[in-house]
Amino acid sequence: MLYKSADDWDNAPHKRVMLFGMSGLGKTYLSEILRANGNWFHYSVDYRIGTRYMGEHIADNFKREAMKVPFLAELLRSDAIYIGANLRFSDLSALSTYLGKPGDISKGGIEFPEFLRRQRLHRAAEISAMKDTVYFQERAQQIYNYQNFICDTSGSVVEVVDAADDNDPVLSYVSQHVLPVWIEGGAGHNDELVRRFQANPKPIYYPENFLIECWERYLDTHALRPEQVDPDAFIVWGYRQLMEHRLPRYRKIAQNWGVTIQSEDVSNIRTEQEFNALVSRALRA
């Protein structure tokens, strides 16, 4: 680990962390508190995915829809208008919309093979964006003179690394530069996380074999053909399956590569000093 003890952390002139865990447990909340302090650089993996690696795919998807409207099609062909995504740290809806939901096209779904294709694009983008953490950490200090750095990961980072592999190419690289900090949800959090996901869907990646198994099981247990699937119903059902699938993987990353803090403690954090003390206690545990 970058910090081998609480004393290492407490005395470090530069504090560098990577928050990971399910969406909705406080990664961005903490990042915004620290960014507001003025001495922390906030690197959002989801934002990097959407702007650097998936931006053209997202814009092209918008353009395909616009081309269905003759008035807009004519303007697009003549380069009279520009169409692009306006992603923000707090609003990744353009990326979520591009990834889509499999199922009935008349209800806003996309065909399952296309959903798989977009998932593969997201996986490659997430791996690249995670490795970019090191570049941004160095850039934040060398160019902008930020002393501290926080990486706000995607909830699906756990699906693109192997925490049990000491030589995992992403974790072995990134953990040399940041301390992985898992925000663990408490008992009963799942229902609330599903509610938040339904209200504000975040970009979500499923490991391919797991996704195919979930899709086939959903079709079988609900006696449906692919074109009959309600995309909203499946994506919520799949999200619940994914939460259970991810939990042991998150725990493994924390055990092998970092530390664990609790979501109920995160919700009480208001200052940089309180966050630093929380990580220090985790390193002492």
Side-chain angles (χ1 to χ4, degrees):
M1 287 194 298
L2 182 61
Y3 309 100
K4 301 187 184 305
S5 69
D7 287 341
D8 281 353
W9 168 263
D10 293 338
N11 298 321
H14 307 293
K15 291 181 168 57
R16 299 162 181 162
V17 297
M18 177 192 97
L19 301 180
F20 68 98
M22 287 297 295
S23 295
L25 289 178
K27 299 190 300 294
T28 302
Y29 167 75
L30 282 179
S31 298
E32 289 175 345
I33 286 176
L34 296 175
R35 185 177 70 219
N37 174 268
N39 199 30
W40 286 77
F41 186 94
H42 175 194
Y43 173 62
S44 167
V45 170
D46 274 331
Y47 182 79
R48 179 68 168 169
I49 290 170
T51 54
R52 172 65 176 84
Y53 296 106
M54 300 287 282
E56 287 188 6
H57 298 296
I58 295 169
D60 285 349
N61 196 45
F62 292 161
K63 291 171 185 175
R64 288 189 188 94
E65 293 302 312
M67 287 295 292
K68 297 175 184 178
V69 181
F71 173 71
L72 294 177
E74 183 178 348
L75 293 172
L76 272 175
R77 288 194 191 98
S78 63
D79 287 330
I81 60 173
Y82 170 81
I83 295 178
N86 185 26
L87 283 94
R88 301 186 298 276
F89 287 176
S90 59
D91 184 358
L92 300 163
S93 55
L95 177 55
S96 298
T97 299
Y98 173 73
L99 292 175
K101 309 168 187 178
D104 187 344
I105 294 174
S106 70
K107 294 181 179 179
I110 59 177
E111 293 182 353
F112 188 71
E114 174 63 12
F115 185 68
L116 271 181
R117 186 188 72 83
R118 297 183 188 190
Q119 288 279 298
R120 290 169 187 148
L121 290 173
H122 190 277
R123 174 183 173 81
E126 184 155 4
I127 291 171
S128 295
M130 277 299 301
K131 290 181 177 179
D132 286 346
T133 298
V134 177
Y135 165 70
F136 274 88
Q137 180 260 303
E138 294 171 347
R139 185 170 179 247
Q141 183 179 348
Q142 294 172 4
I143 298 179
Y144 302 110
N145 200 31
Y146 281 98
Q147 300 305 301
N148 306 307
F149 178 87
I150 187 161
C151 171
D152 175 5
T153 70
S154 164
S156 55
V157 63
V158 70
E159 308 295 358
V160 300
V161 300
D162 181 358
D165 180 4
D166 290 342
N167 298 310
D168 177 81
V170 176
L171 286 175
S172 60
Y173 178 54
V174 173
S175 65
Q176 296 176 49
H177 301 269
V178 292
L179 173 68
V181 177
W182 177 34
I183 303 179
E184 181 180 15
H189 263 86
N190 283 9
D191 287 342
E192 175 60 17
L193 292 181
V194 170
R195 186 194 67 77
R196 293 182 188 178
F197 177 73
Q198 287 179 286
N200 182 27
K202 296 293 180 67
I204 187 166
Y205 169 76
Y206 298 80
E208 187 164 324
N209 290 339
F210 177 79
L211 173 59
I212 292 172
E213 188 275 330
C214 281
W215 180 248
E216 292 175 348
R217 180 152 48 95
Y218 189 84
L219 295 177
D220 183 56
T221 56
H222 292 77
L224 295 170
R225 298 190 305 276
E227 66 274 13
Q228 294 175 317
V229 171
D230 183 318
D232 290 328
F234 172 77
I235 214 72
V236 171
W237 180 89
Y239 189 68
R240 285 188 180 275
Q241 313 306 307
L242 196 61
M243 286 192 291
E244 297 300 324
H245 178 74
R246 285 180 175 178
L247 183 60
R249 288 170 162 78
Y250 286 135
R251 183 170 288 113
K252 199 74 169 177
I253 293 176
Q255 290 172 345
N256 292 356
W257 300 87
V259 297
T260 301
I261 59 178
Q262 301 301 317
S263 59
E264 56 263 34
D265 294 328
V266 166
S267 64
N268 294 322
I269 296 295
R270 298 293 182 273
T271 67
E272 173 189 21
Q273 291 73 25
E274 291 172 344
F275 172 75
N276 288 341
L278 183 59
V279 173
S280 184
R281 290 198 298 274
L283 282 162
R284 284 190 168 89

PDB file of all heavy atoms in Angstrom, residues 244-266:
ATOM      1  N   GLU A 244     -25.115  -8.080  -5.327  1.00  0.00           N
ATOM      2  CA  GLU A 244     -24.671  -9.268  -4.598  1.00  0.00           C
ATOM      3  C   GLU A 244     -23.387  -9.838  -5.211  1.00  0.00           C
ATOM      4  O   GLU A 244     -22.507 -10.336  -4.506  1.00  0.00           O
ATOM      5  CB  GLU A 244     -25.775 -10.332  -4.623  1.00  0.00           C
ATOM      6  CG  GLU A 244     -27.060  -9.910  -3.926  1.00  0.00           C
ATOM      7  CD  GLU A 244     -26.834  -9.580  -2.460  1.00  0.00           C
ATOM      8  OE1 GLU A 244     -25.992 -10.265  -1.822  1.00  0.00           O
ATOM      9  OE2 GLU A 244     -27.480  -8.646  -1.949  1.00  0.00           O
ATOM     10  N   HIS A 245     -23.286  -9.744  -6.524  1.00  0.00           N
ATOM     11  CA  HIS A 245     -22.118 -10.250  -7.237  1.00  0.00           C
ATOM     12  C   HIS A 245     -20.862  -9.446  -6.887  1.00  0.00           C
ATOM     13  O   HIS A 245     -19.756  -9.996  -6.798  1.00  0.00           O
ATOM     14  CB  HIS A 245     -22.396 -10.177  -8.740  1.00  0.00           C
ATOM     15  CG  HIS A 245     -21.274 -10.613  -9.624  1.00  0.00           C
ATOM     16  ND1 HIS A 245     -20.930 -11.925  -9.795  1.00  0.00           N
ATOM     17  CD2 HIS A 245     -20.412  -9.894 -10.396  1.00  0.00           C
ATOM     18  CE1 HIS A 245     -19.908 -12.014 -10.645  1.00  0.00           C
ATOM     19  NE2 HIS A 245     -19.583 -10.799 -11.013  1.00  0.00           N
ATOM     20  N   ARG A 246     -21.027  -8.149  -6.671  1.00  0.00           N
ATOM     21  CA  ARG A 246     -19.882  -7.278  -6.461  1.00  0.00           C
ATOM     22  C   ARG A 246     -19.337  -7.310  -5.034  1.00  0.00           C
ATOM     23  O   ARG A 246     -18.145  -7.073  -4.822  1.00  0.00           O
ATOM     24  CB  ARG A 246     -20.257  -5.835  -6.807  1.00  0.00           C
ATOM     25  CG  ARG A 246     -20.361  -5.570  -8.290  1.00  0.00           C
ATOM     26  CD  ARG A 246     -20.741  -4.124  -8.560  1.00  0.00           C
ATOM     27  NE  ARG A 246     -20.729  -3.843  -9.997  1.00  0.00           N
ATOM     28  CZ  ARG A 246     -21.056  -2.673 -10.519  1.00  0.00           C
ATOM     29  NH1 ARG A 246     -21.428  -1.673  -9.720  1.00  0.00           N
ATOM     30  NH2 ARG A 246     -21.021  -2.494 -11.823  1.00  0.00           N
ATOM     31  N   LEU A 247     -20.189  -7.544  -4.060  1.00  0.00           N
ATOM     32  CA  LEU A 247     -19.796  -7.387  -2.661  1.00  0.00           C
ATOM     33  C   LEU A 247     -18.509  -8.119  -2.300  1.00  0.00           C
ATOM     34  O   LEU A 247     -17.573  -7.508  -1.738  1.00  0.00           O
ATOM     35  CB  LEU A 247     -20.944  -7.815  -1.750  1.00  0.00           C
ATOM     36  CG  LEU A 247     -20.701  -7.637  -0.250  1.00  0.00           C
ATOM     37  CD1 LEU A 247     -20.437  -6.180   0.081  1.00  0.00           C
ATOM     38  CD2 LEU A 247     -21.897  -8.165   0.538  1.00  0.00           C
ATOM     39  N   PRO A 248     -18.374  -9.430  -2.560  1.00  0.00           N
ATOM     40  CA  PRO A 248     -17.119 -10.105  -2.188  1.00  0.00           C
ATOM     41  C   PRO A 248     -15.909  -9.585  -2.952  1.00  0.00           C
ATOM     42  O   PRO A 248     -14.777  -9.627  -2.438  1.00  0.00           O
ATOM     43  CB  PRO A 248     -17.392 -11.571  -2.509  1.00  0.00           C
ATOM     44  CG  PRO A 248     -18.528 -11.573  -3.482  1.00  0.00           C
ATOM     45  CD  PRO A 248     -19.348 -10.374  -3.151  1.00  0.00           C
ATOM     46  N   ARG A 249     -16.118  -9.067  -4.140  1.00  0.00           N
ATOM     47  CA  ARG A 249     -15.009  -8.521  -4.932  1.00  0.00           C
ATOM     48  C   ARG A 249     -14.521  -7.199  -4.331  1.00  0.00           C
ATOM     49  O   ARG A 249     -13.310  -6.946  -4.244  1.00  0.00           O
ATOM     50  CB  ARG A 249     -15.442  -8.327  -6.386  1.00  0.00           C
ATOM     51  CG  ARG A 249     -15.610  -9.629  -7.147  1.00  0.00           C
ATOM     52  CD  ARG A 249     -16.269  -9.375  -8.501  1.00  0.00           C
ATOM     53  NE  ARG A 249     -16.075 -10.482  -9.403  1.00  0.00           N
ATOM     54  CZ  ARG A 249     -16.767 -11.618  -9.350  1.00  0.00           C
ATOM     55  NH1 ARG A 249     -17.702 -11.773  -8.422  1.00  0.00           N
ATOM     56  NH2 ARG A 249     -16.535 -12.595 -10.202  1.00  0.00           N
ATOM     57  N   TYR A 250     -15.458  -6.341  -3.931  1.00  0.00           N
ATOM     58  CA  TYR A 250     -15.065  -5.112  -3.242  1.00  0.00           C
ATOM     59  C   TYR A 250     -14.250  -5.447  -1.990  1.00  0.00           C
ATOM     60  O   TYR A 250     -13.207  -4.832  -1.722  1.00  0.00           O
ATOM     61  CB  TYR A 250     -16.301  -4.323  -2.813  1.00  0.00           C
ATOM     62  CG  TYR A 250     -17.038  -3.604  -3.905  1.00  0.00           C
ATOM     63  CD1 TYR A 250     -18.431  -3.656  -3.973  1.00  0.00           C
ATOM     64  CD2 TYR A 250     -16.372  -2.821  -4.851  1.00  0.00           C
ATOM     65  CE1 TYR A 250     -19.135  -2.975  -4.952  1.00  0.00           C
ATOM     66  CE2 TYR A 250     -17.061  -2.131  -5.829  1.00  0.00           C
ATOM     67  CZ  TYR A 250     -18.452  -2.217  -5.880  1.00  0.00           C
ATOM     68  OH  TYR A 250     -19.142  -1.542  -6.851  1.00  0.00           O
ATOM     69  N   ARG A 251     -14.757  -6.398  -1.214  1.00  0.00           N
ATOM     70  CA  ARG A 251     -14.089  -6.758   0.037  1.00  0.00           C
ATOM     71  C   ARG A 251     -12.673  -7.263  -0.232  1.00  0.00           C
ATOM     72  O   ARG A 251     -11.734  -6.941   0.510  1.00  0.00           O
ATOM     73  CB  ARG A 251     -14.909  -7.816   0.770  1.00  0.00           C
ATOM     74  CG  ARG A 251     -14.337  -8.203   2.140  1.00  0.00           C
ATOM     75  CD  ARG A 251     -15.281  -9.068   2.933  1.00  0.00           C
ATOM     76  NE  ARG A 251     -16.421  -8.293   3.404  1.00  0.00           N
ATOM     77  CZ  ARG A 251     -17.677  -8.462   2.993  1.00  0.00           C
ATOM     78  NH1 ARG A 251     -17.958  -9.399   2.094  1.00  0.00           N
ATOM     79  NH2 ARG A 251     -18.655  -7.721   3.469  1.00  0.00           N
ATOM     80  N   LYS A 252     -12.516  -8.016  -1.298  1.00  0.00           N
ATOM     81  CA  LYS A 252     -11.199  -8.558  -1.636  1.00  0.00           C
ATOM     82  C   LYS A 252     -10.212  -7.449  -1.995  1.00  0.00           C
ATOM     83  O   LYS A 252      -9.033  -7.492  -1.603  1.00  0.00           O
ATOM     84  CB  LYS A 252     -11.342  -9.531  -2.809  1.00  0.00           C
ATOM     85  CG  LYS A 252     -10.177 -10.487  -2.968  1.00  0.00           C
ATOM     86  CD  LYS A 252     -10.221 -11.557  -1.908  1.00  0.00           C
ATOM     87  CE  LYS A 252      -9.240 -12.662  -2.198  1.00  0.00           C
ATOM     88  NZ  LYS A 252      -9.209 -13.681  -1.136  1.00  0.00           N
ATOM     89  N   ILE A 253     -10.669  -6.452  -2.733  1.00  0.00           N
ATOM     90  CA  ILE A 253      -9.790  -5.326  -3.073  1.00  0.00           C
ATOM     91  C   ILE A 253      -9.332  -4.630  -1.796  1.00  0.00           C
ATOM     92  O   ILE A 253      -8.150  -4.313  -1.626  1.00  0.00           O
ATOM     93  CB  ILE A 253     -10.506  -4.328  -4.005  1.00  0.00           C
ATOM     94  CG1 ILE A 253     -10.785  -4.950  -5.365  1.00  0.00           C
ATOM     95  CG2 ILE A 253      -9.661  -3.056  -4.175  1.00  0.00           C
ATOM     96  CD1 ILE A 253     -11.570  -4.050  -6.303  1.00  0.00           C
ATOM     97  N   ALA A 254     -10.274  -4.393  -0.876  1.00  0.00           N
ATOM     98  CA  ALA A 254      -9.927  -3.708   0.367  1.00  0.00           C
ATOM     99  C   ALA A 254      -8.947  -4.530   1.194  1.00  0.00           C
ATOM    100  O   ALA A 254      -7.995  -3.981   1.779  1.00  0.00           O
ATOM    101  CB  ALA A 254     -11.195  -3.424   1.171  1.00  0.00           C
ATOM    102  N   GLN A 255      -9.159  -5.830   1.261  1.00  0.00           N
ATOM    103  CA  GLN A 255      -8.280  -6.697   2.048  1.00  0.00           C
ATOM    104  C   GLN A 255      -6.874  -6.774   1.461  1.00  0.00           C
ATOM    105  O   GLN A 255      -5.884  -6.746   2.201  1.00  0.00           O
ATOM    106  CB  GLN A 255      -8.877  -8.099   2.135  1.00  0.00           C
ATOM    107  CG  GLN A 255     -10.129  -8.189   3.000  1.00  0.00           C
ATOM    108  CD  GLN A 255     -10.805  -9.548   2.909  1.00  0.00           C
ATOM    109  OE1 GLN A 255     -10.517 -10.344   2.007  1.00  0.00           O
ATOM    110  NE2 GLN A 255     -11.720  -9.819   3.827  1.00  0.00           N
ATOM    111  N   ASN A 256      -6.791  -6.870   0.148  1.00  0.00           N
ATOM    112  CA  ASN A 256      -5.495  -7.101  -0.500  1.00  0.00           C
ATOM    113  C   ASN A 256      -4.757  -5.834  -0.903  1.00  0.00           C
ATOM    114  O   ASN A 256      -3.528  -5.858  -1.057  1.00  0.00           O
ATOM    115  CB  ASN A 256      -5.681  -7.978  -1.732  1.00  0.00           C
ATOM    116  CG  ASN A 256      -6.095  -9.393  -1.379  1.00  0.00           C
ATOM    117  OD1 ASN A 256      -6.175  -9.750  -0.212  1.00  0.00           O
ATOM    118  ND2 ASN A 256      -6.378 -10.202  -2.389  1.00  0.00           N
ATOM    119  N   TRP A 257      -5.525  -4.739  -1.085  1.00  0.00           N
ATOM    120  CA  TRP A 257      -4.907  -3.559  -1.677  1.00  0.00           C
ATOM    121  C   TRP A 257      -5.124  -2.273  -0.887  1.00  0.00           C
ATOM    122  O   TRP A 257      -4.425  -1.290  -1.153  1.00  0.00           O
ATOM    123  CB  TRP A 257      -5.439  -3.338  -3.098  1.00  0.00           C
ATOM    124  CG  TRP A 257      -5.175  -4.479  -4.012  1.00  0.00           C
ATOM    125  CD1 TRP A 257      -5.948  -5.589  -4.204  1.00  0.00           C
ATOM    126  CD2 TRP A 257      -4.052  -4.654  -4.880  1.00  0.00           C
ATOM    127  NE1 TRP A 257      -5.393  -6.433  -5.134  1.00  0.00           N
ATOM    128  CE2 TRP A 257      -4.223  -5.883  -5.574  1.00  0.00           C
ATOM    129  CE3 TRP A 257      -2.920  -3.890  -5.156  1.00  0.00           C
ATOM    130  CZ2 TRP A 257      -3.299  -6.354  -6.500  1.00  0.00           C
ATOM    131  CZ3 TRP A 257      -2.003  -4.362  -6.089  1.00  0.00           C
ATOM    132  CH2 TRP A 257      -2.201  -5.577  -6.749  1.00  0.00           C
ATOM    133  N   GLY A 258      -6.087  -2.244   0.030  1.00  0.00           N
ATOM    134  CA  GLY A 258      -6.407  -0.969   0.659  1.00  0.00           C
ATOM    135  C   GLY A 258      -7.055  -1.090   2.026  1.00  0.00           C
ATOM    136  O   GLY A 258      -6.713  -1.972   2.816  1.00  0.00           O
ATOM    137  N   VAL A 259      -8.021  -0.204   2.284  1.00  0.00           N
ATOM    138  CA  VAL A 259      -8.700  -0.158   3.571  1.00  0.00           C
ATOM    139  C   VAL A 259     -10.205  -0.004   3.354  1.00  0.00           C
ATOM    140  O   VAL A 259     -10.667   0.269   2.233  1.00  0.00           O
ATOM    141  CB  VAL A 259      -8.191   1.009   4.448  1.00  0.00           C
ATOM    142  CG1 VAL A 259      -6.720   0.838   4.769  1.00  0.00           C
ATOM    143  CG2 VAL A 259      -8.444   2.355   3.764  1.00  0.00           C
ATOM    144  N   THR A 260     -10.956  -0.142   4.463  1.00  0.00           N
ATOM    145  CA  THR A 260     -12.417  -0.058   4.409  1.00  0.00           C
ATOM    146  C   THR A 260     -12.920   1.028   5.352  1.00  0.00           C
ATOM    147  O   THR A 260     -12.442   1.135   6.489  1.00  0.00           O
ATOM    148  CB  THR A 260     -13.054  -1.402   4.827  1.00  0.00           C
ATOM    149  OG1 THR A 260     -12.589  -2.432   3.958  1.00  0.00           O
ATOM    150  CG2 THR A 260     -14.572  -1.331   4.772  1.00  0.00           C
ATOM    151  N   ILE A 261     -13.862   1.833   4.871  1.00  0.00           N
ATOM    152  CA  ILE A 261     -14.594   2.758   5.731  1.00  0.00           C
ATOM    153  C   ILE A 261     -16.077   2.476   5.542  1.00  0.00           C
ATOM    154  O   ILE A 261     -16.486   1.863   4.555  1.00  0.00           O
ATOM    155  CB  ILE A 261     -14.263   4.240   5.433  1.00  0.00           C
ATOM    156  CG1 ILE A 261     -14.601   4.591   3.973  1.00  0.00           C
ATOM    157  CG2 ILE A 261     -12.794   4.539   5.727  1.00  0.00           C
ATOM    158  CD1 ILE A 261     -14.351   6.060   3.626  1.00  0.00           C
ATOM    159  N   GLN A 262     -16.898   2.897   6.497  1.00  0.00           N
ATOM    160  CA  GLN A 262     -18.320   2.592   6.474  1.00  0.00           C
ATOM    161  C   GLN A 262     -19.134   3.759   5.915  1.00  0.00           C
ATOM    162  O   GLN A 262     -18.839   4.923   6.189  1.00  0.00           O
ATOM    163  CB  GLN A 262     -18.810   2.246   7.883  1.00  0.00           C
ATOM    164  CG  GLN A 262     -18.094   1.058   8.506  1.00  0.00           C
ATOM    165  CD  GLN A 262     -18.238  -0.214   7.686  1.00  0.00           C
ATOM    166  OE1 GLN A 262     -19.326  -0.525   7.188  1.00  0.00           O
ATOM    167  NE2 GLN A 262     -17.141  -0.949   7.539  1.00  0.00           N
ATOM    168  N   SER A 263     -20.183   3.420   5.170  1.00  0.00           N
ATOM    169  CA  SER A 263     -21.003   4.461   4.544  1.00  0.00           C
ATOM    170  C   SER A 263     -21.676   5.361   5.577  1.00  0.00           C
ATOM    171  O   SER A 263     -21.848   6.558   5.337  1.00  0.00           O
ATOM    172  CB  SER A 263     -22.060   3.822   3.636  1.00  0.00           C
ATOM    173  OG  SER A 263     -22.891   2.945   4.380  1.00  0.00           O
ATOM    174  N   GLU A 264     -22.042   4.796   6.750  1.00  0.00           N
ATOM    175  CA  GLU A 264     -22.678   5.639   7.766  1.00  0.00           C
ATOM    176  C   GLU A 264     -21.700   6.662   8.329  1.00  0.00           C
ATOM    177  O   GLU A 264     -22.096   7.773   8.711  1.00  0.00           O
ATOM    178  CB  GLU A 264     -23.272   4.796   8.894  1.00  0.00           C
ATOM    179  CG  GLU A 264     -22.301   3.864   9.591  1.00  0.00           C
ATOM    180  CD  GLU A 264     -22.383   2.455   9.028  1.00  0.00           C
ATOM    181  OE1 GLU A 264     -22.630   2.302   7.825  1.00  0.00           O
ATOM    182  OE2 GLU A 264     -22.208   1.511   9.836  1.00  0.00           O
ATOM    183  N   ASP A 265     -20.402   6.314   8.348  1.00  0.00           N
ATOM    184  CA  ASP A 265     -19.397   7.298   8.778  1.00  0.00           C
ATOM    185  C   ASP A 265     -19.182   8.353   7.702  1.00  0.00           C
ATOM    186  O   ASP A 265     -18.981   9.536   8.007  1.00  0.00           O
ATOM    187  CB  ASP A 265     -18.077   6.597   9.096  1.00  0.00           C
ATOM    188  CG  ASP A 265     -18.163   5.678  10.310  1.00  0.00           C
ATOM    189  OD1 ASP A 265     -18.942   5.985  11.229  1.00  0.00           O
ATOM    190  OD2 ASP A 265     -17.460   4.649  10.321  1.00  0.00           O
ATOM    191  N   VAL A 266     -19.227   7.919   6.454  1.00  0.00           N
ATOM    192  CA  VAL A 266     -19.049   8.853   5.339  1.00  0.00           C
ATOM    193  C   VAL A 266     -20.133   9.929   5.362  1.00  0.00           C
ATOM    194  O   VAL A 266     -19.868  11.109   5.129  1.00  0.00           O
ATOM    195  CB  VAL A 266     -19.070   8.098   3.994  1.00  0.00           C
ATOM    196  CG1 VAL A 266     -19.222   9.066   2.825  1.00  0.00           C
ATOM    197  CG2 VAL A 266     -17.811   7.265   3.837  1.00  0.00           C
TER     198      VAL A 266
END
